[in-house]
């Protein structure tokens, strides 16, 4: 059967893949500089991760001033840590303010650079888009990570990823195992516990858990301020000392800290420390039980690496997300095929070859995405103005 011929659409300005915060930010920065752009989004809404794949109790983990997109502050009436719905409304107002209208339902199948035309080809749904500049803004959390654990398909209870979990209402009175102890795993465990579930939390590796605030000041903000004056090693020591005063020795509740401090690890590996919003107290009171890694699933539960076997009604995988860029960007120099991140680390991650750019792959959250957006827009705007100048001269 002959495949349907795709309609070709030439985009005069940059084509942006992804209508999350990163895509909106770079579109706004381009518009500020007089450069038109088009956003393609596979879902039918903006910020699909926030709209479709987050739990109800989610709030921004950092104070709002560190999460603002370029040229627009959060409303003054919003709390220091806006709720999920408040952040979504902020993004919607942001798009409206800059007249950003993404094309929805446009999942990109593949993208490659045509050297004969000196244009990017982007196949999505029923159209093939051609553009001079391609901006990858699908982000670090494009698709859920579901680990391969022995026997997982044999488990007869409810098994779901946190991308599907909304709240603990349906889990009251049931035995739930949460796999993964990052920010999502900790918060989901807390939410389940508050909803009356019997919760166990798998803590397989060493990790840093820090209080969200130290003496009323954001731990993140305090760290950033201290780094202006002191080296990372000293700031790490101060933060860990304060953390021990507030949270106690987490090693006593089964959460051992890594050898290196939280800021050192963040800079070296991109691994973000957990900011506690109440889960540590639940662990300390044994309302949430810490368990070791899983060896295999059984029909009714799991066998842990220490040989203990327990039954569970439900298992929730708080195992995070990953980039999916490598699956559709047919180019081997800019993004790594292994992890879907730009090969060059921050701050040199934002620009590739042949007019390819990235926004939101800094491992530094919304703050990093805003930095990327400004740099990308400035670079493209210079080329755009030069191109328009030559066009006028030719005419």
């Amino acid at each position: 059967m002959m495949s349907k011929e795709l309609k070709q659409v030439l985009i005069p300005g940059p084509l942006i893949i992804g209508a999350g915060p990163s895509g909106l930010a770079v579109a706004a920065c381009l518009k500020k500089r007089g450069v038109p752009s088009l956003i393609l989004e596979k879902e039918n809404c903006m910020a699909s991760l926030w709209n479709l794949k987050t739990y109800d109790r989610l709030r921004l983990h950092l104070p709002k001033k560190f999460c603002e997109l370029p040229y627009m502050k959060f409303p003054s009436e919003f709390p220091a840590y806006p709720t999920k719905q408040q952040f979504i409304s902020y993004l919607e107002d942001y798009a409206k303010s800059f007249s950003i209208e993404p094309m929805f339902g446009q999942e990109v199948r593949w993208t490659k650079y045509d050297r004969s035309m000196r244009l990017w080809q982007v196949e999505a749904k029923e159209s093939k888009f051609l553009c001079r500049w391609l901006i990858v803004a699908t982000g670090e959390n494009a698709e859920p990570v579901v680990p391969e654990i022995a026997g997982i398909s044999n488990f007869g209870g409810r098994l779901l990823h946190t991308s599907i979990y909304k709240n603990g209402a349906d889990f009251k009175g049931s035995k739930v195992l949460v796999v993964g102890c990052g920010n999502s795993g900790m918060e989901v465990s807390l939410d389940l516990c508050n909803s009356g579930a019997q919760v166990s939390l798998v803590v397989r590796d060493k990790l840093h858990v820090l209080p969200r605030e130290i003496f009323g000041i954001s731990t993140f903000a305090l760290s950033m301020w201290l780094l202006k004056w002191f080296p990372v090693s000293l700031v790490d020591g101060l933060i860990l000392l304060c953390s021990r005063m507030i949270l106690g020795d987490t090693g006593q509740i089964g959460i051992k800290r890594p050898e290196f401090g939280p800021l050192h690890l963040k800079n070296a590996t991109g691994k973000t420390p957990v900011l506690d919003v109440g889960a540590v107290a639940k662990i300390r009171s044994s309302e949430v039980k810490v368990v070791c890694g899983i060896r295999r699933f059984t029909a009714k539960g799991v066998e842990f690496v220490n040989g203990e076997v327990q039954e569970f009604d439900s298992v929730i995988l708080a195992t995070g997300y990953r980039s999916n860029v490598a699956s559709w960007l047919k180019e081997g120099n800019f993004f790594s095929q292994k992890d879907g991140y730009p090969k060059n680390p921050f701050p040199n991650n934002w620009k590739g070859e042949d007019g390819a750019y990235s926004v939101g792959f800094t491992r530094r959250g919304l703050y990093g995405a805003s930095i990327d957006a400004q740099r990308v827009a400035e670079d493209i705007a210079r080329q755009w103005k030069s191109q328009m100048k030559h066009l006028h001269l030719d005419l």
Side-chain angles (χ1 to χ4, degrees):
M1 183 179 291
M2 293 286 289
S3 60
K4 186 177 178 181
E5 188 173 343
L6 296 175
K7 177 178 67 173
Q8 293 201 14
V9 182
L10 179 62
I11 306 300
L15 185 65
I16 303 166
I17 313 298
S22 298
L24 298 177
V26 73
C29 290
L30 287 163
K31 183 154 286 191
K32 273 284 188 178
R33 291 161 176 80
V35 181
S37 63
L38 175 67
I39 300 179
L40 300 184
E41 167 58 47
K42 71 174 182 178
E43 303 292 352
N44 291 313
C45 63
M46 291 180 291
S48 60
L49 178 68
W50 284 84
N51 267 299
L52 307 176
K53 298 177 181 178
T54 51
Y55 40 92
D56 295 341
R57 66 160 287 127
L58 179 63
R59 287 176 174 264
L60 291 179
H61 291 123
L62 303 182
K64 61 183 179 181
K65 68 177 181 178
F66 296 105
C67 301
E68 293 169 347
L69 300 186
Y71 310 115
M72 185 169 161
K73 294 183 178 297
F74 280 94
S76 58
E77 65 270 20
F78 278 18
Y81 302 91
T83 65
K84 163 186 171 177
Q85 197 52 54
Q86 286 172 329
F87 184 59
I88 291 171
S89 70
Y90 167 77
L91 295 177
E92 291 172 346
D93 290 343
Y94 189 84
K96 194 177 298 181
S97 175
F98 291 98
S99 301
I100 300 170
E101 297 180 356
M103 285 186 66
F104 295 116
Q106 296 290 330
E107 182 172 7
V108 172
R109 297 193 183 99
W110 56 261
T111 301
K112 64 183 179 182
Y113 186 68
D114 189 315
R115 299 198 176 279
S116 62
M117 293 193 295
R118 299 179 67 184
L119 294 171
W120 285 92
Q121 298 182 32
V122 180
E123 183 177 307
K125 203 173 181 180
E126 297 175 353
S127 300
K128 181 185 287 185
F129 298 88
L130 304 175
C131 59
R132 169 70 182 84
W133 301 282
L134 177 75
I135 302 174
V136 179
T138 47
E140 302 164 350
N141 303 314
E143 59 184 35
V145 172
V146 178
E148 294 181 6
I149 304 174
I152 194 168
S153 60
N154 299 326
F155 179 61
R158 179 160 40 166
L159 178 70
L160 67 154
H161 190 271
T162 48
S163 58
I164 299 172
Y165 177 88
K166 295 303 177 186
N167 56 64
D170 294 339
F171 298 89
K172 184 177 181 179
S174 61
K175 291 189 66 178
V176 185
L177 179 67
V178 178
V179 181
C181 53
N183 279 301
S184 294
M186 287 286 199
E187 288 197 33
V188 167
S189 296
L190 176 62
D191 191 50
L192 287 163
C193 185
N194 289 338
S195 299
Q198 301 173 51
V199 187
S200 295
L201 174 66
V202 173
V203 179
R204 189 182 61 179
D205 301 317
K206 295 179 179 180
L207 75 149
H208 285 294
V209 181
L210 306 176
R212 187 171 67 175
E213 294 183 342
I214 294 175
F215 308 125
I217 303 171
S218 157
T219 301
F220 177 80
L222 180 61
S223 300
M224 294 302 100
W225 182 79
L226 288 171
L227 285 172
K228 294 179 181 179
W229 310 100
F230 304 108
V232 170
S233 58
L234 181 57
V235 177
D236 268 338
L238 290 170
I239 294 299
L240 289 175
L241 177 62
C242 293
S243 179
R244 188 179 181 108
M245 291 169 60
I246 296 168
L247 299 178
D249 180 3
T250 58
Q252 293 180 347
I253 57 173
I255 302 175
K256 296 181 180 179
R257 294 193 183 277
E259 287 71 25
F260 295 103
L263 297 177
H264 177 98
L265 273 183
K266 177 66 177 174
N267 292 336
T269 67
K271 189 172 183 180
T272 303
V274 173
L275 295 176
D276 179 59
V277 292
V280 169
K282 296 294 184 183
I283 295 171
R284 208 170 276 287
S285 66
S286 297
E287 293 173 83
V288 172
K289 295 179 173 58
V290 169
V291 293
C292 58
I294 299 171
R295 176 175 292 160
R296 66 183 181 90
F297 276 84
T298 66
K300 295 184 178 181
V302 301
E303 177 187 339
F304 297 104
V305 292
N306 62 1
E308 184 180 351
V309 178
Q310 288 191 40
E311 294 184 359
F312 293 97
D313 302 305
S314 302
V315 174
I316 298 175
L317 301 173
T319 44
Y321 297 83
R322 63 182 162 216
S323 162
N324 68 357
V325 177
S327 67
W328 54 266
L329 181 61
K330 307 305 178 185
E331 178 274 347
N333 296 321
F334 189 16
F335 277 80
S336 166
Q337 292 294 307
K338 184 178 179 180
D339 62 8
Y341 278 77
K343 290 182 178 179
N344 292 326
F346 180 85
N348 302 311
N349 58 291
W350 58 277
K351 186 175 182 179
E353 298 175 349
D354 304 315
Y357 297 86
S358 79
V359 178
F361 293 87
T362 65
R363 291 186 169 96
R364 283 164 174 78
L366 295 164
Y367 175 74
S370 294
I371 293 173
D372 277 352
Q374 297 275 17
R375 288 172 172 164
V376 170
E378 287 171 6
D379 197 64
I380 293 177
R382 282 195 295 269
Q383 299 171 61
W384 174 265
K385 289 173 184 176
S386 176
Q387 183 174 287
M388 291 298 102
K389 182 179 179 180
H390 286 127
L391 179 62
H392 287 310
L393 289 174
D394 290 342
L395 292 174

